[in-house]
Amino acid sequence: MSTLRVIFSGFITGSVMTVPGISGGSAAMVIGIYDDLVRAVSRLFSEPRKNIPLLIKFSIGAVAGIVLIARAVSWLLTTPAEIPVRFMFLGAVAGGIPMIFRQAGVKKMRSSDLLLILAGVSVALLLSALPGGIFAPGNRGVTAVILQFTGGILLAAALVLPGLSASHFLYLLGIYDTVMEMLADFNILSLLPLSCGLVLGTFLTARVLETLIQRHQKGTFLVILGFMLASLRELYPHEASGIPLFVGIPCIIVGFVPVYYLQTKHTEKNK
């Protein structure tokens, strides 16, 4: 794969990752670079000369995409478009749910399947019950830095697993707006603990998650399904209680359709 194509693939993946509901892993699969990335991460130390250049090129493109789109999203969330944009985020996450269900390959729902979905629901509810801003970057002190580092490790799972949106996970942790603002301002120093946790978590979980998908695909995706279903309520803009439905519903549809299409393409490509 040429250098330009790898960088461009990184740019596209990084750009879509800033939108809750759009999985960077799924985007990478549609582009055709996901398997190369997982292989490069899991075999980084055994084949460094082959894998490090690929990861560096991809990261350059991804960082550029994240920063540019984060600036646009951060600006939109300070304008009257904030509520419609948040409804679009809700639709985007909902658009990924059908693909997760298909990936699980459930033909007949059993009690064991429901238990796995409930496990995902429990994880989402547990995260949402944590004190607001506990993982927020920029907080000082040893405990705050450790929590930010831990948040980065948790975020790594969302980054690696196809179908799970890293930005959606940031939203669930209550730090989406803060991270988008810091990325837009290129405030890298404040994001350093979270980023270090993310990098370490990616290396630690890449092979584990790859194995889980290969050996326990159904169970893995059922847990993700429960997680996504439970976290939809966190995305609903509760401050929009007075907004008429004719504003919210079209925005949800606008967010739902492209993500559903992207995820469908991803599924077809892997048949």
Side-chain angles (χ1 to χ4, degrees):
M1 189 178 293
S2 68
T3 297
L4 186 60
R5 183 180 174 187
V6 173
I7 293 175
F8 182 70
S9 297
F11 180 83
I12 297 299
T13 304
S15 297
V16 302
M17 279 171 53
T18 62
V19 180
I22 303 183
S23 162
S26 293
M29 278 188 167
V30 172
I31 294 169
I33 198 172
Y34 179 81
D35 290 339
D36 292 334
L37 290 175
V38 172
R39 192 179 303 112
V41 171
S42 62
R43 301 177 185 177
L44 177 65
F45 299 107
S46 60
E47 301 175 350
R49 291 186 180 181
K50 177 182 177 181
N51 297 314
I52 289 178
L54 174 69
L55 293 174
I56 290 176
K57 295 170 190 175
F58 182 84
S59 298
I60 290 172
V63 169
I66 289 171
V67 171
L68 288 175
I69 302 304
R71 190 176 291 272
V73 171
S74 182
W75 173 77
L76 281 172
L77 293 178
T78 62
T79 68
E82 178 187 2
I83 299 302
V85 167
R86 293 192 186 279
F87 272 118
M88 287 174 59
F89 288 169
L90 178 63
V93 173
I97 290 177
M99 187 278 285
I100 298 296
F101 193 80
R102 287 196 298 267
Q103 289 289 91
V106 177
K107 296 181 179 178
K108 183 179 180 181
M109 189 67 69
R110 301 176 181 176
S111 56
S112 58
D113 299 333
L114 289 174
L115 285 175
L116 289 168
I117 293 174
L118 287 174
V121 169
S122 300
V123 171
L125 293 177
L126 179 62
L127 287 173
S128 63
L130 293 174
I134 188 174
F135 300 110
N139 295 334
R140 298 184 179 181
V142 176
T143 302
V145 170
I146 291 174
L147 286 171
Q148 292 166 44
F149 184 80
T150 304
I153 293 176
L154 293 174
L155 183 60
L159 187 67
V160 174
L161 279 171
L164 194 56
S165 163
S167 291
H168 178 200
F169 204 86
L170 286 174
Y171 215 108
L172 192 63
L173 294 177
I175 58 175
Y176 177 80
D177 291 354
T178 303
V179 171
M180 288 298 105
E181 289 173 7
M182 289 183 173
L183 286 171
D185 296 335
F186 216 69
N187 190 354
I188 302 301
L189 188 60
S190 296
L191 290 170
L192 192 58
L194 185 73
S195 301
C196 289
L198 177 61
V199 172
L200 178 62
T202 300
F203 288 124
L204 290 176
T205 59
R207 183 166 292 180
V208 174
L209 294 175
E210 184 182 16
T211 302
L212 276 175
I213 293 174
Q214 289 175 350
R215 298 183 181 179
H216 308 286
Q217 178 171 319
K218 179 181 177 181
T220 301
F221 281 103
L222 283 175
V223 171
I224 294 174
L225 177 62
F227 182 91
M228 293 179 70
L229 288 172
S231 58
L232 283 175
R233 71 188 187 103
E234 296 298 321
L235 287 163
Y236 183 82
H238 298 285
E239 63 274 24
S241 56
I243 302 295
L245 288 178
F246 67 80
V247 173
I249 292 177
C251 293
I252 291 174
I253 294 172
V254 169
F256 180 94
V257 172
V259 176
Y260 179 79
Y261 175 78
L262 176 68
Q263 306 286 38
T264 301
K265 282 289 185 182
H266 150 243
T267 304
E268 291 175 352
K269 201 161 190 172
N270 285 272
K271 284 183 178 179

